[in-house]
Structure formats: C-alpha cells, structure tokens
Amino acid sequence: MERTFLAIKPDGVQRALIGEIISRLESKGFTLVGLKLVKVSRELAEKHYDVHKERPFFPGLVDFITSGPVVAMVWEGDGVIASARKIIGATNPLNAEPGTIRGDFGVSVGRNLIHGSDAPETATREISLWFKDEELVNWQPTITPWLYE
Ligand code: ABT
Ligand code: MG
C-alpha cells in the first residue's frame, strides 16, 4: 500500500493542533505507521527543503522549521499521497478551501501548519530522510475490510 510523509510544523505544534490534525487523517481511514516528535537540525531541514535552496524564502524557511518541535509521521493507505495533500489544502492558507487543514487554521504561506509529500518519489525520499526502517511499524487495523472492498 502507498505511504506518505507528513510533518506538523512548529506552528501547528505551538498552536496545539497536533490532535486535531492527526484526528482528521485517522478518521479519513488512513493508517499511522510512523510517529515521532523531532527537534529538527539545520542539516535535516536543508536536506528536506533542498528543492527550494535557491529560492529567496529558503533561509527563513529553514529558520522556521528548526524553530521548535515538529511531529514527523508516515501514513499509509490507497492513494494517501494525493489525498493527504487535498486534506492539507493549498500551500497558501488564504487560498486553501475551508474544510482543509490550512483553510481552517492558517492565514500565512510561511506558517502553513503541515507538510505533505507531493509525489511518490518525494514520499520515498522524505520517509527515508526522516525515519529509519525500524521506526516504521508494519500493521493493519482490524477494520481494514470496512475501509476497502
Ligand atoms: P510543504 O508541504 O511545506 O512542502 O508545502 P507545499 O508543498 O504546499 O508548498 P511548497 B511550494 O513546497 O512550499 C514549501 C515551503 O515554502 C514556503 N513558501 C513557499 C514560502 O514561504 N513562500 C513561497 O513563496 C512559497 C512558494 C511554504 C512552505 N512551508 N512553510 N512553512
Ligand atoms: Mg512541498
């Protein structure tokens, strides 16, 4: 089954939205297979946002993501990569639809609460960047037959 990397950013943690955010993904029917609270190093932040390293907002982005604890997660389910991006909403929370995480809780692109992998290749890269194999749990909830035909 497909897996994606999601991370509740320092603003989401500081605003006490960890439970709310996890709850939305859980009730949708996705399965949590990896979870940890991380104080992100500059090295990890720079690797994670490597694609943006030439952008003007890169230094501020690295400062922000290393500014406080982050909740790093791996979620599993059919189509979870694209679906989690929909649940998260548009990059700029002001453009994100109500009902999405960013649409409901955010007001600024540089404080958009949660990260989600944007494609299968980035999901694979980000999962191995943030998690060791033995930190991931291979399991299936017993309700699986009630989620998938
Ligand atoms: P991430 O899930 O954090 O990768 O966001 P998303 O994929 O929706 O959007 P991208 B384009 O990857 O943004 C990465 C981070 O950079 C911030 N950003 C982006 C700015 O601050 N200014 C900008 O003009 C753009 C395009 C938003 C994202 N993170 N934060 N915080
Ligand atoms: Mg991105």
Side-chain angles (χ1 to χ4, degrees):
M1 237 192 262
E2 195 172 273
R3 286 180 172 182
T4 194
F5 173 72
L6 305 183
I8 304 173
K9 297 177 182 180
D11 54 335
V13 175
Q14 297 291 341
R15 292 184 52 202
L17 290 170
I18 298 172
E20 170 73 38
I21 289 172
I22 289 180
S23 181
R24 288 181 179 214
L25 293 149
E26 222 182 2
S27 9
K28 170 73 172 168
F30 293 128
T31 304
L32 189 58
V33 295
L35 173 71
K36 59 184 176 183
L37 188 70
V38 186
K39 179 69 178 73
V40 182
S41 65
R42 290 197 80 81
E43 190 193 355
L44 175 58
E46 285 171 7
K47 279 189 191 153
H48 175 77
Y49 280 125
D50 188 57
V51 288
H52 298 305
K53 66 170 179 286
E54 307 302 334
R55 310 284 289 271
F57 57 81
F58 182 76
L61 186 56
V62 171
D63 285 346
F64 166 56
I65 217 74
T66 56
S67 66
V70 164
V71 178
M73 303 177 284
V74 178
W75 286 85
E76 185 176 88
D78 275 358
V80 68
I81 299 172
S83 179
R85 294 276 295 185
K86 283 194 165 187
I87 292 167
I88 290 169
T91 302
N92 185 339
L94 292 178
N95 300 329
E97 295 294 329
T100 65
I101 293 167
R102 289 170 177 166
D104 287 348
F105 301 114
V107 286
S108 162
V109 69
R111 297 287 184 271
N112 65 7
L113 299 162
I114 174 168
H115 164 82
S117 305
D118 56 16
E121 313 75 63
T122 36
T124 306
R125 185 182 98 84
E126 291 169 359
I127 290 168
S128 60
L129 182 62
W130 287 77
F131 283 90
K132 298 178 188 137
D133 267 351
E134 59 267 28
E135 291 177 315
L136 300 177
V137 179
N138 296 308
W139 72 292
Q140 276 207 339
T142 52
I143 52 136
T144 300
W146 302 103
L147 291 169
Y148 298 100
E149 60 172 314

